[in-house]
């Protein structure tokens, strides 16, 4: 009944339908494009699957099949980062351009999911064939490796969706939280992209410093934008600063444990290795976390001073 009423306006029924179709199409395109951009660092390499320890036949690196994701325990954090960036970019663009180029959020989410699902299925079909799973002659280690990598990738796809929905929200607090949580993955994605673009010469030394301090700037700006009023927004500050402090250590510890071939898939030993390296990996995160807090406090104070200095507009009678 509501649709009929809208159709009787002077603008007619056609424009709302066209507008709805365009927002859905725009959302699908935005989600798909964002997911593809997230995969750019890997696609730039030629997308040859990394050498596999459990491959059923001897293959040279250049003869490995093409895979849309670098399925390997040595690339686990890169897979996470590239998938997360799809959700982060889509959420950020959807929020920034909502007034000029509105899109349908669920369509954008579907666009992200479609591209990432296709990439995941294609890559794991290739891996399953090489490990002998398709031919049903894979051993238990290959099955465990395949299941673990697939489970981690599915979780990464789900986290990309979560970041998209947080950042694209109209409310400031969820969006600020999403941006703060995305700061470390975004810096990691940027670092990987620069490394691939730099080629054999390697990236300039300043890139390492950028990777360390850029997340602090992003988190500080996001928290300053969030503010502290109402007081419950302090929870966003705690979560954002904690993520900045812990996330790099989690990346380091997990990469260290998963990359230890000597552990030969022993999950308990891998967990012990991660636990041992984690406390030491936390130390470099202290200074960036402090910097993020100072930036957030400064931005909040500046916004408060500007708001206080503006003349109050008398309420109309």
């Amino acid at each position: 009944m509501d649709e009929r009423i809208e159709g009787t306006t002077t603008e007619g029924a056609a424009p709302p339908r066209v507008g709805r179709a365009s927002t859905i199409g725009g959302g699908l395109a935005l989600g798909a494009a964002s997911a593809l951009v997230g995969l750019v660092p890997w696609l730039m390499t030629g997308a040859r699957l990394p050498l596999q320890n459990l491959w059923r036949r001897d293959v040279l690196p250049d003869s490995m099949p093409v895979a849309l994701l670098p399925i390997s325990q040595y690339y686990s954090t890169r897979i996470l980062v590239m998938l997360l960036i799809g959700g982060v970019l889509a959420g950020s663009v959807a929020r920034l351009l909502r007034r000029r180029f509105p899109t349908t959020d669920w369509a954008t989410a579907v666009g992200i999911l479609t591209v990432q699902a296709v990439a995941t299925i294609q890559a794991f079909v290739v891996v399953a064939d090489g490990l002998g799973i398709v031919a049903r002659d894979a051993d238990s280690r290959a099955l465990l490796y395949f299941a673990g990598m697939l489970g981690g990738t599915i979780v990464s796809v789900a986290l990309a969706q979560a970041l998209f929905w947080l950042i694209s929200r109209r409310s400031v607090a969820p969006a600020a939280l999403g941006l703060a949580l995305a700061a470390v993955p975004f810096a990691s994605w940027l670092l990987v992209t620069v490394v691939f673009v730099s080629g054999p010469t390697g990236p300039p030394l300043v890139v390492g410093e950028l990777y360390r301090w850029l997340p602090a700037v992003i988190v500080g700006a996001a928290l300053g934008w969030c503010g502290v009023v109402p007081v419950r927004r302090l929870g966003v500050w705690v979560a954002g600063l904690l993520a900045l402090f812990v996330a790099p250590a989690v990346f380091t510890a997990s990469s260290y444990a998963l990359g230890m071939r000597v552990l030969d898939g022993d999950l308990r030993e891998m967990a012990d290795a991660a636990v041992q390296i984690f406390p030491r990996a936390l130390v470099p995160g202290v200074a960036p976390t402090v910097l993020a807090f100072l930036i957030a406090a400064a931005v909040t104070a500046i916004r408060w001073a500007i708001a206080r200095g503006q003349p109050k507009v008398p309420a109309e009678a």
Side-chain angles (χ1 to χ4, degrees), residues 54-227:
L54 302 175
W55 213 241
R56 303 296 290 178
R57 57 188 181 277
D58 293 333
V59 181
L60 295 175
D62 292 338
S63 299
M64 290 295 286
V66 172
L68 297 179
L69 288 176
I71 306 303
S72 170
Q73 70 271 30
Y74 308 116
Y75 287 76
S76 56
T77 55
R78 292 187 183 183
I79 295 172
L80 170 64
V81 165
M82 289 190 297
L83 293 174
L84 289 183
I85 289 303
V88 172
L89 290 178
S92 301
V93 174
R95 183 179 181 86
L96 289 173
L97 302 182
R98 178 168 282 128
R99 292 184 178 180
R100 293 186 178 182
F101 305 101
T103 56
T104 304
D105 286 346
W106 67 261
T108 307
V110 169
I112 300 168
L113 183 60
T114 299
V115 171
Q116 294 185 346
V118 169
T120 300
I121 293 171
Q122 188 274 339
F124 277 95
V125 167
V126 170
V127 172
D129 181 51
L131 295 178
I133 296 176
V134 174
R136 298 185 179 181
D137 61 351
D139 58 23
S140 59
R141 291 171 58 213
L143 292 173
L144 178 62
Y145 165 76
F146 182 86
M149 292 301 303
L150 179 59
T153 303
I154 291 174
V155 170
S156 300
V157 170
L159 290 175
Q161 289 287 314
L163 283 180
F164 164 73
W165 285 106
L166 276 175
I167 296 173
S168 63
R169 290 282 299 274
R170 296 180 183 273
S171 301
V172 172
L177 176 60
L179 291 173
L181 296 177
V184 173
F186 175 74
S188 299
W189 178 84
L190 196 61
L191 175 64
V192 172
T193 304
V194 172
V195 169
F196 284 142
V197 171
S198 301
T201 59
L205 294 178
V206 70
V207 174
E209 292 299 312
L210 180 66
Y211 170 71
R212 183 184 182 190
W213 299 107
L214 179 60
V217 175
I218 295 174
V219 172
L223 298 182
W225 171 53
C226 177

Side-chain angles (χ1 to χ4, degrees), residues 166 171-181 219 222-228 230-244 296:
L166 276 175
S171 301
V172 172
L177 176 60
L179 291 173
L181 296 177
V219 172
L223 298 182
W225 171 53
C226 177
V228 295
V231 178
R232 62 175 177 271
R233 290 191 179 182
L234 288 175
V236 176
W237 284 54
V238 173
L241 293 173
L242 185 62
L244 175 63

Side-chain angles (χ1 to χ4, degrees), residues 253 256-257 268-282:
Y256 175 80
R268 180 174 296 180
E269 290 294 333
M270 292 169 67
D272 289 342
V275 170
Q276 290 177 9
I277 198 68
F278 181 73
R280 285 177 284 176
L282 284 172

